[in-house]
C-alpha cells in the first residue's frame, strides 16, 4: 500500500508574510496546503496521508480537512526543530498506524501542482526499483564558484533538479533516520540525500516543470496562474 507523508512544518520566511505560514496562504479561499493534500486525496493509488504541521496550526488544519471532506488523512502530527526531525515524526506516525512494509511518498506541503501522472510513476518505480526521486532537467547553466569566481561549469545535460515526491519503503527510510540519529547527522536537506548517504541507489522519475515549490511571492503568482488556467479550461473546455 502507498501512503503520502506531507511535510508542512516550515514558517515560510522567504515569503515575507507576517500573517501566516506560507502553507496556509490562501488562493480562492483555500490554503495552499489543502490544494496539495487534495492531489493525494483524489489519487487512486494513495491509501492514506500523514501531515506534519506546525503545532500551533494543527487545530486550524483539522477544521479545513473537515470542511473540504478530506477522508484519507490518518494523522496530523507536530513538526520538529528541523525538516529531518519533522519527517521522522511523520514516519513514526505512519509506522504506528500501518507498519513498516509499505511505500511512503514524502512530499512538500507547498508543492501543490504535482501531477497524478508523477504520483503514479513514483508508485510504479518503488514497486520496480525500491525507490523514486522526482526530478526535472536543468535548463540553465550551472556553475560552481568560490569567492565570486567561477571555478567550474557543469554539463547541464547531466544535471537534474531533485523535487518531490521522494518515495521509499517506510521501514528502510526509518532505518536510515535511525542511523543518522546514531551518527549525529542532523543536516540532511531531504530524504534523497539521506538515503544516498547510507548507500541506497536512487532511481529517478521525471516530473513536470510546473511541479514547483512555493517559496517566494513569485512562486505564488505562478501557482495562481496555473490554477486559474486550469479552472478556465474546465469551464470553457479549452
Amino acid at each position: 500500500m502507498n501512503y503520502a507523508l506531507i511535510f508542512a512544518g516550515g514558517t515560510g520566511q522567504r515569503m515575507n508574510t507576517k500573517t501566516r505560514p506560507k502553507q496556509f496562504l490562501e488562493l480562492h479561499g483555500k490554503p495552499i496546503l489543502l490544494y496539495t493534500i487534495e492531489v493525494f486525496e483524489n489519487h487512486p493509488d494513495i491509501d492514506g496521508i500523514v501531515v506534519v504541521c506546525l503545532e500551533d496550526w494543527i487545530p486550524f488544519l483539522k477544521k479545513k480537512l473537515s470542511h473540504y471532506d478530506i477522508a484519507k488523512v490518518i494523522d496530523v502530527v507536530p513538526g520538529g526543530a528541523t525538516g529531518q526531525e519533522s519527517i521522522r515524526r511523520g514516519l513514526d506516525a505512519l509506522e504506528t498506524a500501518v507498519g513498516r512494509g509499505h511505500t511512503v511518498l514524502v512530499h512538500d506541503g507547498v508543492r501543490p501542482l504535482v501531477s497524478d501522472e508523477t504520483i503514479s510513476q513514483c508508485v510504479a518505480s518503488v514497486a520496480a526499483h525500491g525507490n523514486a526521486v522526482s526530478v526535472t532537467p536543468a535548463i540553465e547553466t550551472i556553475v560552481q564558484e568560490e569567492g565570486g569566481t567561477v571555478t567550474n561549469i557543469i554539463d547541464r545535460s547531466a544535471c537534474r533538479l531533485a523535487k518531490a515526491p521522494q518515495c521509499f519503503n517506510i521501514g528502510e527510510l526509518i532505518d536510515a533516520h535511525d542511523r543518522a540519529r546514531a551518527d549525529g547527522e542532523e543536516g540532511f536537506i531531504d530524504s534523497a540525500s539521506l538515503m544516498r548517504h547510507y548507500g541506497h541507489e536512487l532511481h529517478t522519475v521525471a516530473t513536470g516543470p510546473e511541479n514547483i515549490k512555493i517559496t517566494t511571492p513569485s512562486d505564488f503568482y505562478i501557482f495562481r496562474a496555473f490554477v486559474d488556467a486550469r479552472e478556465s479550461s474546465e469551464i470553457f473546455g479549452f
Side-chain angles (χ1 to χ4, degrees):
M1 301 181 80
N2 309 300
Y3 295 88
L5 195 170
I6 298 179
F7 167 68
T11 57
Q13 295 177 352
R14 281 174 287 181
M15 284 295 293
N16 299 318
T17 175
K18 296 179 175 62
T19 56
R20 58 179 62 195
K22 60 185 178 181
Q23 59 269 35
F24 293 106
L25 293 177
E26 294 186 352
L27 177 62
H28 305 316
K30 183 189 300 185
I32 294 171
L33 177 56
L34 266 294
Y35 282 93
T36 304
I37 291 172
E38 283 185 333
V39 178
F40 292 90
E41 170 78 13
N42 296 327
H43 197 287
D45 290 340
I46 300 301
D47 299 289
I49 302 167
V50 166
V51 183
V52 182
C53 182
L54 290 168
E55 187 166 11
D56 290 346
W57 285 83
I58 289 177
F60 176 84
L61 174 58
K62 287 183 175 179
K63 289 180 181 178
K64 291 295 183 180
L65 294 174
S66 176
H67 176 77
Y68 287 100
D69 296 322
I70 303 297
K72 289 184 181 179
V73 172
I74 57 180
D75 206 351
V76 179
V77 298
T82 65
Q84 186 175 324
E85 182 183 351
S86 295
I87 291 173
R88 176 55 196 259
R89 289 187 179 188
L91 289 169
D92 287 343
L94 268 177
E95 183 180 23
T96 298
V98 302
R100 296 166 58 94
H102 304 285
T103 295
V104 57
L105 293 82
V106 181
H107 194 72
D108 302 302
V110 288
R111 206 181 282 275
L113 294 173
V114 60
S115 69
D116 289 342
E117 181 181 9
T118 292
I119 294 172
S120 296
Q121 290 179 350
C122 282
V123 169
S125 178
V126 176
H129 306 296
N131 58 63
V133 178
S134 304
V135 300
T136 55
I139 59 174
E140 298 192 49
T141 300
I142 298 173
V143 303
Q144 294 176 303
E145 64 90 21
E146 184 176 343
T149 301
V150 173
T151 59
N152 188 29
I153 298 178
I154 301 172
D155 179 7
R156 70 183 182 191
S157 67
C159 293
R160 301 292 183 269
L161 304 179
K163 298 201 170 187
Q166 297 182 358
C167 316
F168 306 93
N169 171 268
I170 293 173
E172 289 183 353
L173 187 52
I174 288 174
D175 289 344
H177 275 269
D178 286 344
R179 293 181 66 182
R181 181 180 291 173
D183 294 343
E185 297 280 359
E186 299 294 336
F188 289 103
I189 193 67
D190 59 10
S191 297
S193 300
L194 172 67
M195 294 295 274
R196 175 71 175 171
H197 179 80
Y198 287 109
H200 290 266
E201 181 180 72
L202 303 183
H203 298 266
T204 61
V205 166
T207 188
E210 75 281 357
N211 186 11
I212 61 171
K213 184 178 181 181
I214 300 176
T215 305
T216 66
S218 60
D219 298 326
F220 182 83
Y221 300 140
I222 293 170
F223 168 53
R224 184 172 66 183
F226 269 101
V227 171
D228 289 347
R230 182 185 300 162
E231 290 184 353
S232 294
S233 67
E234 290 173 355
I235 292 170
F236 299 108
F238 294 155

